[in-house]
Amino acid sequence: MSDGGAVAGPDGELRCPWGLSTEDYVKYHDEEWGRPVHGDDALFERLCLEAFQSGLSWITILRRREGFRRAFADFHIPAVAAFTDADAARLLTDEGIIRNRAKIDATLANARELAGWSAGELDGLIWSYAPDPATRPVPRTIGDVAAVTDESTALAKALKKRGIRFVGPTTAYALMQACGLVDDHLAGCLVRRQLADARA
C-alpha cells in the first residue's frame, strides 16, 4: 500500500499519486501543474477555472476546459469584460461549462474590474505572493501538501481588496500550485526534478 508518496507510473517514472489517476491527469501533471504561468489573460483563465472548481473535482473542470475557453472568448480580459446580459444568459445554457450563476457573474465582474488594470498588473500582483522556494520544505507525501498558506490568504485578501470576487485562500492556493508560484510536486516526482533543472 502506498504511503502517499510518489509512485511509479507505467513508464517507471515516479509521479505524484493523483497524477496517475486518469489519463487526463497524467498529461496535466506532467506538462502543466506547477510550471510557471505568466500573462494577464493566462492568469485570468486560471483564476476563473479555480473559482469554477470550488466544490467540485478538478477533473470536472479540466475535461471542460476547451468548452470554457470557447464560452469565455479564450479568457481574453477585454473581450469578457464586454459580455452583455445576453451573453450571461447564453452561458447559463452552455452545456460545455459549469452553469453556476454566481460563478458566471463573478467571472464577468472580475473581467470588467481587470479591464481597468494596467498591462501586467495582474501578473505582477499574483507573483508578488510567490514564497522563496528555499523556505519551503519538499513534500514527501500528499499529506504534507497544504490546502491554505499564509501567502495564499494574503493573496486572496489582496485580490478581494482590488475588487476580485470568488477567490478565497483555498482557491488562491490552488492557483499558486497550478501556476508554479509554489512547487508541491512530491519528492522523487519527475516533474519536481524537471523544474529544479529548469531553475538551475
Side-chain angles (χ1 to χ4, degrees):
M1 178 177 288
S2 170
D3 64 356
V7 296
D11 58 2
E13 291 280 6
L14 293 175
R15 290 177 174 82
C16 304
W18 66 265
L20 289 167
S21 57
T22 72
E23 285 189 20
D24 296 299
Y25 271 164
V26 173
K27 181 177 176 62
Y28 178 67
H29 170 273
D30 287 4
E31 299 178 10
E32 294 189 59
W33 194 76
R35 296 182 185 273
V37 174
H38 285 283
D40 292 340
D41 287 350
L43 287 166
F44 173 58
E45 175 181 350
R46 304 313 196 281
L47 269 173
C48 294
L49 295 182
E50 294 294 350
F52 272 100
Q53 186 270 334
S54 180
L56 302 170
S57 167
W58 176 246
I59 196 68
T60 301
I61 304 302
L62 187 61
R63 289 175 173 166
R64 288 173 171 78
R65 185 162 58 172
E66 291 308 316
F68 275 105
R69 287 173 171 169
R70 286 190 296 272
F72 287 99
D74 284 327
F75 293 97
H76 183 48
I77 293 170
V80 181
F83 276 21
T84 63
D85 289 345
D87 289 307
R90 166 183 59 81
L91 291 167
L92 285 169
T93 66
D94 191 331
E95 296 182 357
I97 67 171
I98 302 301
R99 293 171 289 175
N100 178 295
R101 181 181 292 276
K103 294 175 181 179
I104 290 170
D105 288 348
T107 299
L108 303 190
N110 288 345
R112 292 177 191 125
E113 179 65 40
L114 290 169
W117 292 24
S118 301
E121 193 170 355
L122 177 62
D123 187 305
L125 186 150
I126 289 174
W127 275 90
S128 72
Y129 288 90
D132 180 352
T135 67
R136 291 178 53 82
V138 176
R140 299 198 166 275
T141 72
I142 54 176
D144 295 333
V145 178
V148 174
T149 64
D150 290 345
E151 292 88 357
S152 76
T153 300
L155 173 56
K157 183 176 180 180
L159 288 168
K160 183 177 181 180
K161 186 175 181 180
R162 295 291 304 273
I164 304 303
R165 296 161 48 183
F166 230 105
V167 184
T170 302
T171 297
Y173 193 63
L175 174 79
M176 293 172 74
Q177 291 174 305
C179 296
L181 280 75
V182 296
D183 181 4
D184 275 342
H185 286 280
L186 302 184
C189 175
L190 85 161
V191 180
R192 173 169 282 277
R193 185 173 70 248
Q194 292 168 353
L195 290 170
D197 289 346
R199 287 194 297 270

